[in-house]
Amino acid sequence: MGSLCSRQRHYNQADSEENARTAEIERRIEQETKAEKHIQKLLLLGAGDSGKSTIFKQIKLLFQSGFDEAELKGYIPVIHANVYQTIKILHDGAKELAQTEEDSLKYVISDENKENGEKLAEIGGRLDYPCLTKELAQDIEAIWRDNAIQETYSRGNELQVPDCTQYLMENLQRLSDTNYVPTKEDVLYARVRTTGVVEIQFSPVGQKKRSGEVYRLFDVGGQRNERRKWIHLFEGVTAVIFCVAISEYDRTLFEDDNKNRMVETKELFEWVLKQPCFEKTAFMLFLNKFDLFEKKVLQVPLNVCEWYKDYQPVSTGKQEIEHAYEFVKKKFEELYFQSTAPNCVDRVFKIYRTTALDQKLIKKTFKLVDETLRRRNLFEAAKNLPEIFSYTRLDGLR
Amino acid sequence: MMSCAVEGGCPSDYVAVSISILSIILLLAKAVAPYLIYKIPRPKGSSFWLVAIQVLASFNLLLSIVMALNFLKFKGRHWWNSCYIWSVWFEGPLGFGLLLSCRIVQGFQLYNIFVKRRLPPIRSYIFLPLVLLPWIAGSIFIHMKKPLNNRCHMGAQWIIPITCLHALYIAVLVGLTGAVQHVEFRFHELKDLWRGILVSACCIGIWVVAYILNEVHEEISWVQIVSRFLLLVTTSILVLAFFSISLSQPLISLMSLRKKDHPECETMGHALGIPDSGLLLQGEPTQFADPNEPLDKLLLNRKFRQSFMAFADGCLAGESVHFYDEVQQLEKVPDNDHVRRIYMVRHIIDKYIAPGATMEVNISHRCRQEILSTLDLAHPDLFKNAVNELMQLMKMNLVNDYWLSAFFMKLKEDANMRTVNHELEEFGGWNFSHRLSSVHCADDPFHQEHSPRKPDSNSCDSDLQ
């Protein structure tokens, strides 16, 4: 009898524990549901290599606790991998150009660097990269200074040479240091294709204040195969931040050598604008990589891109840069209005000139975005008010 | 009786027509069943279109026989009741000719893939019209010359070249089948090719007999009626027997209605009999999933691979891991077993590499072109560059987030065989990595702990908002 009672008690105890746990879980779910309603969903969309992940990293740096030392050190393999991959692309590119071009002599690597070049290209093709030592850094620097490689680099728009090449090559000595800890700038320059979806939650007013909005930002991959995953994120989006790398009007896609990047971005932007889920979504267009655009537009005319073929240069220097930028901006505005159905005309659309690597600029830009979204939310809420007023007015008349 | 034989509408005619309708329904069921029952997505490209066109051509063929031989009684003469439309166009370029052309295109694809070991050099949507050209030319010629009498019969001097054209296509099919007959197919492709030849030869035999009977005994009505009936019924049966999916989609053919005794072959690996990949390290929990080990070594371990795959699927980056998995299965097939290698390679290309594929992976243009334009599908290093690129992608991108995720924690706990945290079990996955809500405690505006979220609850956002 006694044992029976004790077993009963044991079951009751287990039961009440179970109930307590269930209650706790339900309370948590309820809290979360309430919390969810206040969270605004932001999507970072854009073609491959447009700067989405850099903006994502900037948001982390600005509005979260940033990167701690362990995270910074975690970027060392990425930066080293970028170095090896870049030098391999340049070396293989030089070899190919030496075979296919008539003026092939200028792409032939000089004899003293040939062996080095082969060795580095072999390293670049491996699965596991060795750590970047001072020796290797010296070899890489020697190759980088070779005329053939410099010539190849000047034709980098035909190969898939990453934008951070110049930066990496200039800082090789620092990167190969045994106690190297990447700086924030290094982390921002590091390049990795995003695959799948990454998200982050933050509040722009800073760490302790509660009165600000809460945003959940989603970063995605931009290559063609990644885009079929975007559809899973399209519900209930407050704003789409569409990134465009305006300096890439003379380059082709990573995943398709025959398609111009700017034309692809144009088609992608049109497709995104026409999505039915985005009827009420705000669109923030970030015309990114302005620093590279500034340098390029004076050397490579905009009309190499078929979308820009009606461009006429007017002057030189800074005026020309501004004129070119205004032209690009107008093109995107026209595209926006062409692709916007009449029922979506009152959605918010803003264009910002950005350089994702510039922290101050991104902070300022994001504050503007935040303001715009808050104003828009107030406007949406206020739209419901007039009905109440008209009702009371009628009542007053009676 | 006399009028029924000439104008149509005899009872036997209606029976024959209903049998042909039944055979069309069965044909559609056979074609569509695996997709509906097993919920497989519709395939893209030639593997879908060639099968769809075959179904359409079978329908056209039966319709042409029904209309040309006056099975149904129509009041008055309409323009669409013309002999030429049915007996020439619908029977030839849109019926029998189209059926055989599809089969020839499929056979040509098999020949390229298994004998020449490369992907077909001519796209099938260009090749099919080319093969159909003689039929179209012939039909135009007949249409201009107009040799048909009012009973839709031609004179002997026309019938012989037409029969020769039919027989020519069967001969081409025989030739192609002979070229691939030494290949040890695993999904009844050869059987289906021979069956197709037999069926079309039977068809022609029956038509010749029916024609002779009709021509010679045009006045004897019961000969007309009986030969008409037999013609339609046998064509209906033969059209059903001609159809096969295995030539374009071997894996789907395993799942069609009749083959219930086959075990559930969900993956090509299973279907080819490749043993499950990966070792199962037992009894070494401490050596388990050490973050400092290179990723390719870790992926050899089955438990780690499954856990990592589940994590990647959760954040929509799973295709790279699945691709790696299937390439590992490919590696297990011995180098000299070309046929099995080619099946696996073709499956991997259709699923992961072809532009627009269901699980297309993130590789460069150069890498993709190298694979698609290779001259040897059975080459051992075909996917080496693609695997390299994707491993780099996984190492730089996914793996770091994995170490912080709940999937890894679960894996560690399973390995150490501690009592599993109940809360962890019930929530099914708390996640501290950036792949999901990553809020450092200091920042949390709601002063909660880490908000726990299931990996796939992003889609539930709309419900909650």
Side-chain angles (χ1 to χ4, degrees):
Chain A
M1 184 75 161
S3 59
L4 195 65
C5 281
S6 61
R7 222 182 300 143
Q8 278 275 19
R9 224 181 315 136
H10 175 75
Y11 285 149
N12 285 336
Q13 218 172 10
D15 236 358
S16 64
E17 264 175 36
E18 178 85 33
N19 285 338
R21 230 181 298 135
T22 321
E24 169 73 14
I25 293 166
E26 279 176 17
R27 181 185 73 83
R28 281 247 167 120
I29 292 178
E30 207 186 293
Q31 244 183 346
E32 221 190 279
T33 317
K34 251 197 290 183
E36 289 286 321
K37 290 207 169 71
H38 298 285
I39 295 179
Q40 312 221 28
K41 196 167 161 186
L42 299 178
L43 293 187
L44 274 167
L45 301 181
D49 214 354
S50 54
K52 304 182 286 298
S53 299
T54 311
I55 298 214
F56 190 82
K57 284 183 215 165
Q58 288 278 25
I59 301 279
K60 262 188 84 176
L61 283 172
L62 289 170
F63 300 121
Q64 281 206 346
S65 47
F67 294 114
D68 58 18
E69 178 149 338
E71 272 184 280
L72 287 175
K73 282 210 161 134
Y75 272 93
I76 296 181
V78 178
I79 295 171
H80 289 180
N82 282 162
V83 172
Y84 291 124
Q85 284 161 357
T86 305
I87 210 71
K88 179 177 166 62
I89 291 173
L90 285 171
H91 176 265
D92 291 346
K95 262 170 89 168
E96 214 184 286
L97 286 172
Q99 283 172 353
T100 53
E101 291 287 302
E102 312 104 43
D103 196 6
S104 64
L105 281 176
K106 64 177 176 179
Y107 298 114
V108 175
I109 301 176
S110 57
D111 288 323
E112 67 244 15
N113 289 328
K114 238 194 225 319
E115 207 189 297
N116 254 343
E118 294 293 329
K119 178 183 79 170
L120 289 168
E122 188 271 321
I123 294 180
R126 283 190 214 158
L127 203 49
D128 284 307
Y129 296 132
C131 200
L132 189 65
T133 57
K134 284 279 184 206
E135 254 187 66
L136 276 170
Q138 274 170 358
D139 291 338
I140 293 174
E141 207 153 352
I143 289 274
W144 169 244
R145 295 200 197 292
D146 190 296
N147 279 330
I149 298 291
Q150 287 294 320
E151 283 290 337
T152 313
Y153 179 63
S154 66
R155 291 189 49 173
N157 62 313
E158 294 167 40
L159 313 163
Q160 299 292 336
V161 174
D163 292 323
C164 55
T165 305
Q166 190 83 28
Y167 178 82
L168 288 177
M169 294 298 147
E170 281 168 3
N171 287 286
L172 268 176
Q173 290 306 319
R174 188 169 54 85
L175 299 182
S176 57
D177 204 25
T178 31
N179 300 322
Y180 168 57
V181 175
T183 61
K184 277 194 281 195
E185 219 190 339
D186 294 340
V187 165
L188 289 172
Y189 269 98
R191 159 104 191 118
V192 176
R193 294 197 307 288
T194 312
T195 180
V197 179
V198 198
E199 70 170 82
I200 202 183
Q201 191 162 304
F202 68 99
S203 181
V205 277
Q207 302 193 359
K208 290 300 182 186
K209 296 192 201 161
R210 291 188 64 178
S211 55
E213 306 287 330
V214 178
Y215 292 113
R216 187 172 283 155
L217 182 67
F218 290 83
D219 183 24
V220 296
Q223 283 78 28
R224 282 181 182 164
N225 71 304
E226 303 283 334
R227 292 178 207 159
R228 63 183 156 72
K229 308 171 191 173
W230 291 4
I231 202 85
H232 298 284
L233 304 171
F234 280 1
E235 283 294 318
V237 176
T238 308
V240 166
I241 300 179
F242 195 89
C243 297
V244 173
I246 51 175
S247 62
E248 293 193 333
Y249 54 90
D250 64 342
R251 291 184 67 185
T252 52
L253 292 174
F254 169 78
E255 65 268 26
D256 183 355
D257 250 351
N258 303 320
K259 191 76 192 278
N260 179 284
R261 285 193 185 205
M262 203 44 94
V263 177
E264 177 87 356
T265 300
K266 163 181 181 258
E267 288 167 6
L268 186 61
F269 191 47
E270 269 178 308
W271 180 79
V272 170
L273 286 172
K274 292 186 174 146
Q275 289 299 308
C277 313
F278 292 151
E279 246 180 52
K280 300 231 182 325
T281 308
F283 270 85
M284 312 290 170
L285 185 63
F286 279 23
L287 297 180
N288 201 19
K289 304 207 183 181
F290 183 72
D291 53 341
L292 298 175
F293 180 77
E294 278 183 315
K295 294 191 201 114
K296 190 176 272 199
V297 87
L298 297 174
Q299 291 161 357
V300 183
L302 279 184
N303 0 43
V304 300
C305 172
E306 53 180 88
W307 189 28
Y308 296 161
K309 56 180 188 275
D310 51 339
Y311 177 69
Q312 299 291 343
V314 289
S315 58
T316 52
K318 230 167 187 287
Q319 273 190 341
E320 181 57 31
I321 298 174
E322 280 304 318
H323 179 248
Y325 176 76
E326 287 303 317
F327 176 80
V328 169
K329 186 166 161 201
K330 195 165 70 95
K331 278 282 182 189
F332 275 97
E333 276 169 357
E334 277 170 10
L335 186 62
Y336 174 80
F337 288 112
Q338 269 170 21
S339 316
T340 301
N343 59 338
C344 305
V345 183
D346 52 348
R347 70 182 166 191
V348 175
F349 175 62
K350 289 261 175 353
I351 303 186
Y352 300 94
R353 177 200 312 214
T354 57
T355 298
L357 298 164
D358 182 344
Q359 191 157 0
K360 286 207 184 73
L361 183 58
I362 296 295
K363 185 168 185 172
K364 207 165 58 167
T365 310
F366 196 79
K367 285 268 185 294
L368 292 172
V369 169
D370 183 35
E371 247 176 58
T372 309
L373 289 176
R374 259 196 276 196
R375 210 178 304 142
R376 169 197 172 257
N377 289 341
L378 281 176
F379 189 70
E380 292 282 315
K383 270 206 277 199
N384 298 324
L385 288 179
E387 292 164 351
I388 306 174
F389 285 133
S390 59
Y391 186 85
T392 42
R393 227 182 294 146
L394 236 85
D395 232 44
L397 281 177
R398 269 197 245 130
Chain B
M1 197 51 168
M2 178 69 173
S3 60
C4 153
V6 176
E7 290 168 4
C10 306
S12 65
D13 288 345
Y14 286 117
V15 173
V17 170
S18 40
I19 290 178
S20 68
I21 291 177
L22 186 64
S23 88
I24 286 288
I25 292 175
L26 281 176
L27 186 65
L28 274 173
K30 210 166 143 187
V32 165
Y35 299 99
L36 289 181
I37 296 180
Y38 296 97
K39 304 216 182 356
I40 307 165
R42 198 200 77 166
K44 297 194 182 16
S46 68
S47 48
F48 168 73
W49 286 111
L50 284 177
V51 174
I53 290 176
Q54 275 190 42
V55 172
L56 185 66
S58 312
F59 177 71
N60 286 342
L61 185 61
L62 288 177
L63 192 61
S64 74
I65 295 181
V66 164
M67 297 300 285
L69 295 181
N70 291 326
F71 273 78
L72 304 171
K73 202 157 149 194
F74 291 107
K75 291 200 172 59
R77 287 195 66 80
H78 307 265
W79 65 268
W80 44 261
N81 213 354
S82 136
C83 246
Y84 286 93
I85 293 182
W86 300 111
S87 162
V88 174
W89 286 97
F90 265 75
E91 192 271 334
L94 293 175
F96 189 79
L98 195 57
L99 259 184
L100 278 193
S101 306
C102 280
R103 191 48 64 90
I104 288 176
V105 170
Q106 284 173 329
F108 183 68
Q109 278 182 346
L110 283 182
Y111 173 72
N112 268 302
I113 290 176
F114 285 95
V115 178
K116 287 259 161 104
R117 308 225 289 248
R118 51 171 301 181
L119 293 174
I122 314 177
R123 303 300 299 274
S124 55
Y125 59 77
I126 299 174
F127 194 51
L128 184 62
L130 277 180
V131 176
L132 209 51
L133 227 44
W135 289 91
I136 298 177
S139 303
I140 294 178
F141 187 65
I142 293 180
H143 207 102
M144 290 194 312
K145 291 287 182 182
K146 293 211 187 300
L148 291 173
N149 66 5
N150 60 351
R151 297 266 291 269
C152 278
H153 291 148
M154 284 180 235
Q157 72 268 39
W158 286 100
I159 273 295
I160 292 175
I162 290 173
T163 316
C164 283
L165 184 63
H166 285 63
L168 175 69
Y169 270 63
I170 299 183
V172 169
L173 200 54
V174 169
L176 268 176
T177 310
V180 299
Q181 71 174 348
H182 63 279
V183 178
E184 287 167 31
F185 292 103
R186 298 187 62 106
F187 294 98
H188 314 294
E189 284 98 327
L190 197 61
K191 214 170 72 174
D192 285 342
L193 277 173
W194 283 126
R195 199 173 58 181
I197 292 175
L198 192 65
V199 161
S200 19
C202 275
C203 263
I204 298 201
I206 291 171
W207 287 344
V208 168
V209 166
Y211 168 77
I212 292 175
L213 284 177
N214 270 334
E215 286 293 289
V216 168
H217 300 288
E218 244 183 25
E219 346 54 69
I220 306 182
S221 54
W222 65 264
V223 165
Q224 293 266 331
I225 295 173
V226 168
S227 66
R228 220 158 57 183
F229 177 80
L230 282 177
L231 188 61
L232 187 58
V233 169
T234 45
T235 311
S236 312
I237 296 173
L238 291 175
V239 143
L240 209 51
F242 187 85
F243 180 76
S244 90
I245 312 184
S246 72
L247 293 169
S248 289
Q249 298 151 58
L251 201 55
I252 308 289
S253 71
L254 275 188
M255 300 180 190
S256 60
L257 277 173
R258 276 165 43 204
K259 299 181 170 103
K260 285 197 194 112
D261 43 358
H262 268 269
E264 274 291 337
C265 288
E266 289 173 357
T267 62
M268 187 57 103
H270 277 145
L272 293 175
I274 302 174
D276 227 2
S277 39
L279 322 155
L280 193 59
L281 284 177
Q282 284 172 349
E284 302 230 48
T286 46
Q287 226 182 35
F288 206 94
D290 177 11
N292 294 325
E293 273 198 41
L295 184 61
D296 43 337
K297 285 211 175 47
L298 289 173
L299 281 174
L300 288 177
N301 181 305
R302 175 139 58 99
K303 272 203 181 303
F304 175 84
R305 201 170 58 241
Q306 280 174 350
S307 169
F308 187 59
M309 207 184 276
F311 164 75
D313 284 335
C315 50
L316 302 181
E319 71 270 359
S320 311
V321 192
H322 285 280
F323 173 77
Y324 180 80
D325 193 30
E326 299 219 41
V327 171
Q328 289 308 105
Q329 290 190 342
L330 174 67
E331 300 293 310
K332 288 188 147 188
V333 180
D335 273 347
N336 50 7
D337 189 350
H338 293 305
V339 176
R340 278 208 299 171
R341 283 192 76 90
I342 290 177
Y343 273 115
M344 200 65 194
V345 164
R346 189 180 172 205
H347 166 77
I348 291 178
I349 289 181
D350 277 339
K351 195 168 170 194
Y352 299 104
I353 309 282
T358 42
M359 295 180 76
E360 198 183 340
V361 285
N362 194 334
I363 49 178
S364 66
H365 175 83
R366 175 168 298 214
C367 201
R368 184 170 285 128
Q369 287 309 112
E370 267 172 14
I371 295 174
L372 290 177
S373 58
T374 181
L375 291 174
D376 184 5
L377 282 176
H379 196 274
D381 285 339
L382 184 61
F383 293 120
K384 186 163 131 220
N385 285 338
V387 168
N388 263 5
E389 279 194 20
L390 290 173
M391 281 298 263
Q392 289 296 339
L393 193 66
M394 287 195 278
K395 272 160 64 158
M396 299 296 146
N397 202 312
L398 276 183
V399 152
N400 299 324
D401 295 329
Y402 173 74
W403 299 129
L404 300 169
S405 76
F407 289 92
F408 177 55
M409 284 181 218
K410 192 157 190 295
L411 190 70
K412 264 203 304 206
E413 285 174 5
D414 284 348
N416 297 335
M417 290 192 291
R418 266 185 267 142
T419 39
V420 184
N421 187 336
H422 289 298
E423 275 195 337
L424 195 68
E425 239 177 17
E426 264 152 11
F427 275 103
W430 295 46
N431 198 317
F432 299 91
S433 77
H434 287 303
R435 285 285 162 170
L436 296 185
S437 308
S438 149
V439 179
H440 293 288
C441 291
D443 263 336
D444 191 342
F446 304 100
H447 293 288
Q448 276 175 342
E449 291 164 45
H450 241 293
S451 57
R453 292 284 303 281
K454 276 206 181 131
D456 55 355
S457 61
N458 284 335
S459 52
C460 300
D461 261 0
S462 53
D463 296 331
L464 296 172
Q465 277 171 4

